[in-house]
Amino acid sequence: MASTVDSNIFSSVPALQSNLGILSPDQIELAKILLENGQSHLFQQWPQLGVDDKHKLDFFDQIARLNSSYPGGLAAYIKTAKELLADSKLGKNPYDGFSPSVPSGENLTFGNENFIEMEKRGVVEARNAAFVLVAGGLGERLGYNGIKVALPRETTTGTCFLQHYIESILALQEASNKIASEGSQRDIPFIIMTSDDTHSRTLDLLELNSYFGMKPTQVHLLKQEKVACLDDNDARLALDPHNKYSIQTKPHGHGDVHSLLYSSGLLHKWLDAGLKWVLFFQDTNGLLFNAIPASLGVSATKQYHVNSLAVPRKAKEAIGGITKLTHVDGRSMVINVEYNQLDPLLRASGFPDGDVNCETGFSPFPGNINQLILELGPYKDELQKTGGAIKEFVNPKYKDSTKTAFKSSTRLECMMQDYPKTLPPTARVGFTVMDIWLAYAPVKNNPEDAAKVPKGNPYHSATSGEMAIYRANSLILQKAGVKVEEPVKQVLNGQEVEVWSRITWKPKWGMIFSDIKKKVSGNCEVSQRSTMAIKGRNVFIEDLSLDGALIVDSIDDAEVKLGGLIKNNGWTMESVDYKDTSVPEEIRIRGFRFNKVEQLEKKFTQPGNFSVED
């Protein structure tokens, strides 16, 4: 029961006071926190003791979850919400007092000596890294009802994003362990942040596919909880309109990954095991692992505490810019500034033209692609200070210009890439820029929205994402000496895209450019209409002329040479209408499917040396 000291606070809310008898001491403590933070409205409609008692206890179960999953609990959440909502009402600029400048970082050019060295260094470091995939989202925005990581990355092989990520990590693990001294083999930890929407489906996908070859002990799922919604500028928590015993909740954003890692105890475990790096990446960028080895090499060489992966960015392009901000009081930080804030910030800081391209044809502020490499030691130290809390923001939709009422409830949000906001000026924060064709092709827009994108801007759809994989692989092989025919332009789902030869390979075939170069020799050529899928490790392309479809699979102990003229009717691409519900969602959101007319398919299941020639 409540003590006499507490009784005053409860007496002002009779509906709650009359129900205290059913509450445990912990629940009474939670009720007190709510009342002390201006939340008495939550209990106004409560009936007397004996009516709906189970629902009342369910309400406190939810409050307990909301309180324990947020650093500092609900009191801290409400306090921060009041401050941020007051700033929002006043139209306060979060960058007041800061002036922008271009931070220092590394610009890499694919295939040159520096790039190759960075990739090799990255492979050495890979066994000292943990990988963290932020995968809390469903594919609804794409016109796909499943979890995004279950979507095929490309439809030549049908490999889904999650399988590709796991196979890439395993390929890095094997290559890195091979370089390390004997007897010091290490499994790379792989963490997946899920949500209520994705947790069980992610686990099912892993279990149904035997974790795609990874040991189940390497994989940890950390589930993100939602946060309470806010009804007004006083940060009153929003009740579910259909249930007076339930708080409305919404996702808090991918910034939660930091507090989840902190509370999981994994960071201590990794440090004890001798790990040095944590890599964060998002769910549907099919090109990302092309960039990881070299970026990790940059982190190790430059000793960056924080390394943001970036791509060249056109001025005013709808992608955040990595910016150094220096405050009048001397504080400074290197962070992502959203594109719609960067231009006004520059104009207000003595750059009359705002965000403009420099002599390179790109903005001097590189485009942030939300992939981070953090040095583990300083990261753990920082999280010990903050508990993993990330600087939040609020984005209420106001009913009118008085900003006194919201159109619908809002909530606090946080972003993974805002981690550097709390770092001291001594922290080494940099970036690594790579070509867009190599590193960045996110899949986030549905066909209808993608078709409305202004000409020349990226579609970021399932169509463009798949075509970008074929382009990247074709360009990599071109740089390795293969004559890959130039692409043709085609309109698919209302989007004009370049269609290159459909070339794919397993990560274990070629994780870094120097490995790929070793597997290609002589005069090789691939026609634009060709399809080539390499599924084995020791497959060598030597004097190959391909005009058609070639699929090669082999065990690790089989060495296979592909050569001579291989010509057949191949696979054709057929247009599919995204509204055609007779076609599976994951196909129709691309606007095409393959008609497998004819192919040469070879599978080698025995050790030995083999050659494939038509």
Side-chain angles (χ1 to χ4, degrees):
M1 251 316 281
S3 68
T4 321
V5 183
D6 295 337
S7 57
N8 288 343
I9 195 165
F10 294 118
S11 61
S12 60
V13 191
L16 172 62
Q17 191 175 31
S18 67
N19 280 285
L20 291 176
I22 61 166
L23 303 184
S24 69
D26 284 350
Q27 290 170 329
I28 289 171
E29 199 50 44
L30 288 171
K32 201 173 143 206
I33 289 168
L34 290 172
L35 297 186
E36 284 169 348
N37 287 280
Q39 306 297 325
S40 58
H41 67 285
L42 297 173
F43 307 103
Q44 298 295 338
Q45 303 297 315
W46 276 31
Q48 66 202 46
L49 193 67
V51 179
D52 288 348
D53 286 357
K54 187 188 174 304
H55 293 310
K56 294 167 189 169
L57 295 175
D58 288 345
F59 170 85
F60 275 102
D61 284 347
Q62 186 193 19
I63 292 294
R65 282 197 307 280
L66 291 169
N67 190 57
S68 65
S69 63
Y70 185 85
L74 275 170
Y77 182 78
I78 295 161
K79 179 176 180 284
T80 304
K82 284 178 179 170
E83 291 165 6
L84 290 174
L85 286 164
D87 287 351
S88 175
K89 190 181 179 190
L90 293 169
K92 205 166 168 187
N93 180 352
Y95 299 120
D96 268 353
F98 284 101
S99 51
S101 59
V102 180
S104 67
E106 183 83 12
N107 285 279
L108 294 181
T109 303
F110 178 80
N112 71 8
E113 210 172 304
N114 184 40
F115 182 89
I116 287 168
E117 283 313 305
M118 289 300 166
E119 279 204 320
K120 286 178 178 170
R121 179 71 193 269
V123 171
V124 172
E125 293 292 333
R127 63 192 300 279
N128 302 321
F131 285 76
V132 181
L133 168 61
V134 176
L138 293 169
E140 289 159 336
R141 216 177 115 187
L142 299 167
Y144 174 66
N145 281 311
I147 54 173
K148 287 195 280 185
V149 291
L151 260 178
R153 173 179 174 259
E154 39 77 16
T155 50
T156 296
T157 65
T159 302
C160 71
F161 281 102
L162 188 57
Q163 178 175 356
H164 174 71
Y165 296 150
I166 286 178
E167 289 179 347
S168 298
I169 293 167
L170 289 173
L172 278 171
Q173 173 182 300
E174 190 170 350
S176 193
N177 279 334
K178 205 180 273 184
I179 297 165
S181 54
E182 283 306 311
S184 63
Q185 303 302 287
R186 188 185 276 152
D187 292 337
I188 293 176
F190 180 38
I191 312 307
I192 306 173
M193 182 174 85
T194 59
S195 64
D196 284 333
D197 293 332
T198 65
H199 188 83
S200 61
R201 288 195 256 186
T202 305
L203 196 55
D204 288 348
L205 182 62
L206 287 164
E207 289 177 344
L208 285 169
N209 293 283
S210 308
Y211 286 74
F212 298 109
M214 198 171 247
K215 293 176 190 167
T217 49
Q218 280 176 260
V219 184
H220 290 265
L221 269 57
L222 297 177
K223 187 160 79 79
Q224 170 187 31
E225 297 296 335
K226 292 180 175 164
V227 289
C229 289
L230 308 159
D231 245 347
D232 55 29
N233 285 324
D234 295 323
R236 282 158 36 117
L237 302 186
L239 283 167
D240 183 327
H242 308 294
N243 180 0
K244 64 185 173 196
Y245 300 110
S246 177
I247 305 282
Q248 244 187 336
T249 60
K250 285 182 183 171
H252 190 219
H254 49 49
D256 275 353
V257 70
H258 301 294
S259 61
L260 284 171
L261 279 174
Y262 176 70
S263 58
S264 72
L266 286 167
L267 302 179
H268 288 278
K269 200 172 143 189
W270 294 343
L271 266 176
D272 290 346
L275 296 193
K276 194 174 179 187
W277 309 103
V278 189
L279 287 91
F280 296 85
F281 64 106
Q282 285 186 281
D283 44 18
T284 52
N285 176 10
L287 297 179
L288 171 74
F289 274 85
N290 290 345
I292 279 180
S295 307
L296 190 49
V298 169
S299 278
T301 306
K302 297 248 181 179
Q303 298 183 305
Y304 282 150
H305 294 158
V306 178
N307 182 7
S308 294
L309 273 64
V311 291
R313 155 185 183 281
K314 291 281 186 188
K316 301 181 183 65
E317 190 183 330
I319 174 174
I322 295 170
T323 310
K324 181 173 184 178
L325 296 177
T326 307
H327 197 269
V328 286
D329 64 12
R331 280 179 295 145
S332 70
M333 56 185 171
V334 175
I335 57 151
N336 171 65
V337 175
E338 288 305 326
Y339 70 96
N340 55 351
Q341 296 172 315
L342 183 56
D343 188 65
L345 179 62
L346 285 162
R347 289 175 191 276
S349 309
F351 299 88
D353 299 328
D355 184 18
V356 288
N357 294 329
C358 61
E359 66 283 355
T360 61
F362 291 97
S363 163
F365 299 94
N368 166 52
I369 61 170
N370 275 0
Q371 327 289 337
L372 297 173
I373 302 177
L374 306 184
E375 188 180 335
L376 177 57
Y379 176 52
K380 186 185 82 67
D381 293 346
E382 179 64 19
L383 293 197
Q384 270 174 323
K385 286 184 225 154
T386 63
I390 294 297
K391 290 276 186 197
E392 290 159 307
F393 61 95
V394 70
N395 190 15
K397 304 286 181 277
Y398 297 107
K399 274 188 179 167
D400 55 41
S401 58
T402 64
K403 294 188 176 181
T404 49
F406 304 161
K407 284 181 184 171
S408 60
S409 62
T410 189
R411 84 286 197 183
L412 299 190
E413 296 177 72
C414 62
M415 295 191 292
M416 174 175 85
Q417 66 272 25
D418 282 345
Y419 163 74
K421 282 187 173 178
T422 58
L423 293 179
T426 50
R428 290 186 294 277
V429 182
F431 60 80
T432 303
V433 177
M434 303 225 191
D435 297 308
I436 289 179
W437 67 261
L438 180 72
Y440 189 53
V443 176
K444 50 189 182 184
N445 290 328
N446 65 45
E448 219 159 334
D449 291 343
K452 292 176 192 157
V453 167
K455 199 171 163 57
N457 286 20
Y459 297 116
H460 292 169
S461 66
T463 313
S464 63
E466 179 159 355
M467 292 300 144
I469 288 160
Y470 303 138
R471 176 178 62 177
N473 290 345
S474 294
L475 289 171
I476 289 167
L477 285 190
Q478 275 188 356
K479 289 180 191 296
V482 179
K483 292 187 187 75
V484 182
E485 193 179 354
E486 291 300 301
V488 297
K489 284 201 162 72
Q490 208 171 327
V491 176
L492 301 166
N493 271 351
Q495 305 155 58
E496 188 180 75
V497 290
E498 283 185 351
V499 182
W500 288 80
S501 314
R502 272 70 65 209
I503 298 171
T504 64
W505 57 75
K506 288 274 190 199
K508 65 181 177 184
W509 181 75
M511 198 64 224
I512 60 173
F513 186 50
S514 51
D515 285 351
I516 291 167
K517 284 210 299 189
K518 285 176 197 157
K519 289 179 174 171
V520 174
S521 63
N523 290 316
C524 299
E525 53 187 3
V526 179
S527 68
Q528 183 277 333
R529 70 177 196 90
S530 289
T531 300
M532 179 168 68
I534 301 173
K535 300 178 180 183
R537 180 192 307 279
N538 292 308
V539 177
F540 295 84
I541 303 171
E542 196 178 305
D543 293 318
L544 169 71
S545 178
L546 175 62
D547 185 26
L550 172 63
I551 317 291
V552 180
D553 196 355
S554 60
I555 62 166
D556 287 358
D557 290 335
E559 191 169 300
V560 181
K561 193 189 99 178
L562 308 179
L565 172 63
I566 297 177
K567 187 176 172 71
N568 54 50
N569 290 322
W571 295 5
T572 58
M573 278 174 63
E574 294 177 350
S575 288
V576 172
D577 190 311
Y578 71 88
K579 297 190 191 90
D580 183 352
T581 52
S582 70
V583 178
E585 281 177 331
E586 65 267 25
I587 298 298
R588 68 174 185 262
I589 59 173
R590 292 163 205 276
F592 68 90
R593 66 176 156 204
F594 292 120
N595 179 13
K596 300 176 182 181
V597 181
E598 189 184 8
Q599 74 239 7
L600 177 63
E601 187 162 6
K602 292 285 188 181
K603 194 165 190 173
F604 299 93
T605 56
Q606 299 296 317
N609 293 324
F610 307 91
S611 67
V612 176
E613 295 183 25
D614 210 18

